[in-house]
Amino acid sequence: MGDFNLALVIVAIVVTVLVFIFNVYLLINYQHPDDANQAYFPKFVVVFGLSVAAISILMLPADVANRQACSNAIYNGACNLTLPMKTLWLVVYIVDAVLVFLVIPFAMFFYEGDQEKSVGKRIKSALLWCGTSVIVCGLVLGILYGVIGKVDFTVRHLSSSANNFPNDWKTFSSGQPCGDSTNHQCSAYTANAASESTWTMRTTFPEYVVALATIVGSVLFSIFGGVGIVSLPLGLIFSFIRRPKAVITRSQYIKEATELGKKAKELKKAADALRQEEKNGAKGRKWRKNVKAVEKELLLLEEDVKALEEMYPQGEKAETSWALTVIGYLAKLVLGVLGLIVSVAWIAHIIIYLLIDPPLTSFLNEVFIKLDDVWGLLGTAAFAFFCFYLLLAVIAGAMMLGLRLVFITIHPMKWGATLMNSFLFNVGLILLCSISVIQFCATAFGYYAQATAAQEIFGHTLQSLRGIKYLYKYNVFQIAFVVLAGLTFIYYAIFGWRKRKPSGRFQLAT
């Protein structure tokens, strides 16, 4: 057993190093050329935040493996040699909360500060904003923890009378567990409702911080995840359906390029007007709304330019570019179909295991257990894949809603053209939702992940917190997730076939 536990520790260290290296690779390839050789602090926050998010997702499968490490122990102290998962969970999620609510906002305020000001003034301004956030968050957390930072466990007092040991083993049966010929059920089984009572205790402050962060993340998760679980695969499939069928002629290319040029001039004129308003100090609600509208139209214009380049490849390798475009859309179709299968499995599992009481079947839990029987880590790997897919769905849902709802700030991630503020925003979103993804997976796969440290934190403490437990008792987040998934499917069924058209609406101040 000691050798197995040592191997688990080595695997955890190796995976952590690989995650860090991969995130550095993402940063280098996604960053905008304007941020090269500068903005080192935001870059460190991005790499560290992505690493924490990835590690937190991988910790649930590690928790399951850690539980299995001592499940067949031959001596009592074997489980003391495993990883201290409960402590690791609390450390990771406290770091997660600090990054989301303190470090990332500071990095964004510092990065977006007036470049004409000195570094000291930008730091001072960012600290002022973050200091205000710390005071407000500290007061809210302290008051809530002092007033309702308790867990209420419903317990039932069970008792059973002792009977003489029977001479015949056949006396015991599932219908007569007590061996009493007159009472076919023990008194412990038939305890009345009056024997129920509430056991109240105060939770630890770190667990309470994790719980509140989970609630905030769960709201976003229900919205973005419910939309993304459908839009992720169907977006890929409809992208294949709306793909360019053939290369256009040169005259068509010139016509389309001229139209895009006119739109680009309109956008530049709108952006100049907004910049002038900013200099005049007219940064009101209407100005911010117009800025987001311009950002949205600019993003759509860039997509139109990319689509035009696909339909009319140029250069010496035009035929190769067109062939790669066709292969790329075929890959989207394949990934979309596979993703659709995973999405249907997720939604079906939520309905039959979480929303129906009692569950019809444990479904995916049984699948993971059977995969573990085939090979020790196969079920764990499939379990990790489903958790990661859910996080990808959250990101896809945020991008979809950001493109269609002006009041959501758009921070697109583009290869070789992503500014640090967009990086930081998306990292914050991933970190905030990763907590809820883990909690959701710990609940959805409660049978497979039973007796783990995550179950103790997310399955017992979180769902018994005073004032919060009713959200989980009545499956509010799961119901919202499924409802939004259904509405998104209806949206794609009606409008998914149509090609998007830019609105071009700018309500600029005079």
Side-chain angles (χ1 to χ4, degrees):
M1 290 306 303
D3 293 339
F4 184 88
N5 298 335
L6 179 61
L8 184 60
V9 172
I10 294 174
V11 169
I13 295 173
V14 171
V15 169
T16 301
V17 173
L18 292 177
V19 165
F20 178 79
I21 294 174
F22 179 75
N23 290 327
V24 172
Y25 172 80
L26 285 180
L27 176 68
I28 293 174
N29 288 277
Y30 269 91
Q31 70 175 348
H32 197 281
D34 293 344
D35 289 327
N37 301 319
Q38 61 178 346
Y40 292 108
F41 177 69
K43 290 178 181 178
F44 170 78
V45 174
V46 166
V47 173
F48 184 67
L50 287 175
S51 300
V52 171
I55 291 171
S56 65
I57 295 295
L58 293 172
M59 276 181 64
L60 190 53
D63 201 351
V64 175
N66 194 62
R67 176 204 62 190
Q68 296 172 349
C70 66
S71 59
N72 297 318
I74 60 176
Y75 60 94
N76 294 331
C79 292
N80 295 330
L81 301 176
T82 55
L83 296 173
M85 291 305 303
K86 185 174 181 180
T87 301
L88 290 176
W89 275 118
L90 293 177
V91 169
V92 166
Y93 282 124
I94 290 296
V95 172
D96 192 312
V98 171
L99 284 171
V100 170
F101 297 108
L102 297 177
V103 178
I104 290 179
F106 171 80
M108 291 187 69
F109 285 132
F110 176 77
Y111 179 82
E112 295 177 348
D114 191 348
Q115 300 295 326
E116 297 179 358
K117 294 182 179 179
S118 63
V119 175
K121 289 184 178 180
R122 290 167 61 191
I123 293 176
K124 182 179 178 180
S125 176
L127 285 175
L128 182 62
W129 282 101
C130 288
T132 304
S133 301
V134 170
I135 294 173
V136 173
C137 290
L139 288 174
V140 172
L141 287 174
I143 293 172
L144 290 176
Y145 180 71
V147 176
I148 57 174
K150 299 178 181 179
V151 287
D152 298 322
F153 295 106
T154 301
V155 295
R156 175 178 290 183
H157 178 73
L158 301 179
S159 62
S160 178
S161 59
N163 296 310
N164 292 328
F165 195 81
N167 295 323
D168 186 5
W169 287 99
K170 296 181 180 179
T171 305
F172 289 106
S173 67
S174 59
Q176 186 178 321
C178 291
D180 189 345
S181 59
T182 58
N183 298 317
H184 293 281
Q185 293 292 331
C186 301
S187 58
Y189 282 80
T190 58
N192 54 38
S195 65
E196 287 189 357
S197 61
T198 301
W199 178 33
T200 300
M201 61 178 294
R202 184 171 292 279
T203 184
T204 63
F205 186 72
E207 288 182 342
Y208 195 72
V209 173
V210 172
L212 291 185
T214 303
I215 293 300
V216 176
S218 295
V219 174
L220 297 176
F221 167 77
S222 301
I223 298 173
F224 295 146
V227 173
I229 199 73
V230 174
S231 66
L232 179 59
L234 291 187
L236 294 172
I237 294 174
F238 279 106
S239 177
F240 171 80
I241 294 175
R242 296 192 300 262
R243 73 191 186 281
K245 303 299 190 298
V247 177
I248 62 176
T249 63
R250 181 176 177 81
S251 60
Q252 290 175 314
Y253 171 77
I254 294 175
K255 179 182 178 181
E256 294 292 336
T258 303
E259 291 295 325
L260 292 179
K262 293 179 180 179
K263 293 178 183 178
K265 290 181 179 179
E266 293 176 1
L267 278 175
K268 185 178 184 304
K269 182 180 178 181
D272 290 339
L274 290 172
R275 191 177 296 110
Q276 186 62 41
E277 289 183 19
E278 182 182 13
K279 291 181 179 180
N280 295 335
K283 295 175 62 175
R285 181 179 178 182
K286 189 175 182 180
W287 180 86
R288 290 190 294 270
K289 182 179 180 180
N290 287 327
V291 168
K292 292 179 181 179
V294 170
E295 289 177 350
K296 178 180 178 179
E297 293 295 332
L298 179 60
L299 184 60
L300 297 178
L301 178 63
E302 291 175 352
E303 291 182 358
D304 287 339
V305 171
K306 181 180 178 181
L308 184 60
E309 291 175 350
E310 288 179 348
M311 291 186 292
Y312 190 76
Q314 304 179 53
E316 297 179 357
K317 299 181 180 180
E319 295 182 357
T320 303
S321 299
W322 175 250
L324 292 176
T325 299
V326 173
I327 294 174
Y329 279 106
L330 289 174
K332 286 184 178 182
L333 176 63
V334 173
L335 292 176
V337 172
L338 294 177
L340 185 60
I341 295 173
V342 176
S343 295
V344 170
W346 251 119
I347 296 174
H349 180 77
I350 292 170
I351 294 174
I352 65 179
Y353 183 72
L354 295 180
L355 299 184
I356 297 178
D357 188 23
L360 297 178
T361 175
S362 57
F363 191 32
L364 291 178
N365 291 281
E366 291 290 346
V367 173
F368 298 149
I369 293 173
K370 290 181 180 179
L371 289 176
D372 275 335
D373 294 336
V374 175
W375 181 56
L377 293 177
L378 189 58
T380 305
F383 177 43
F385 169 76
F386 269 80
C387 293
F388 263 116
Y389 184 84
L390 204 57
L391 187 61
L392 292 176
V394 170
I395 298 173
M399 292 301 297
M400 177 184 175
L401 291 177
L403 287 174
R404 286 161 176 78
L405 303 177
V406 178
F407 59 83
I408 296 179
T409 303
I410 303 171
H411 288 277
M413 297 282 291
K414 294 185 178 181
W415 187 270
T418 306
L419 295 172
M420 281 301 109
N421 58 343
S422 296
F423 246 128
L424 290 167
F425 177 86
N426 287 284
V427 169
L429 177 65
I430 292 172
L431 282 169
L432 190 58
C433 291
S434 66
I435 303 177
S436 301
V437 169
I438 292 301
Q439 187 273 331
F440 193 84
C441 291
T443 303
F445 304 129
Y447 182 61
Y448 181 71
Q450 60 184 334
T452 58
Q455 273 282 323
E456 181 179 351
I457 296 174
F458 298 115
H460 306 303
T461 303
L462 177 62
Q463 297 183 18
S464 300
L465 276 173
R466 186 174 297 178
I468 295 176
K469 61 181 180 180
Y470 298 104
L471 296 174
Y472 296 97
K473 181 180 180 180
Y474 298 107
N475 298 320
V476 173
F477 298 122
Q478 291 91 333
I479 293 174
F481 184 95
V482 173
V483 169
L484 286 171
L487 293 176
T488 305
F489 178 80
I490 295 173
Y491 170 83
Y492 269 95
I494 299 175
F495 303 106
W497 307 89
R498 303 179 184 179
K499 290 189 177 182
R500 181 262 314 146
K501 294 182 180 179
S503 61
R505 297 175 181 175
F506 306 109
Q507 300 175 358
L508 301 178
T510 57

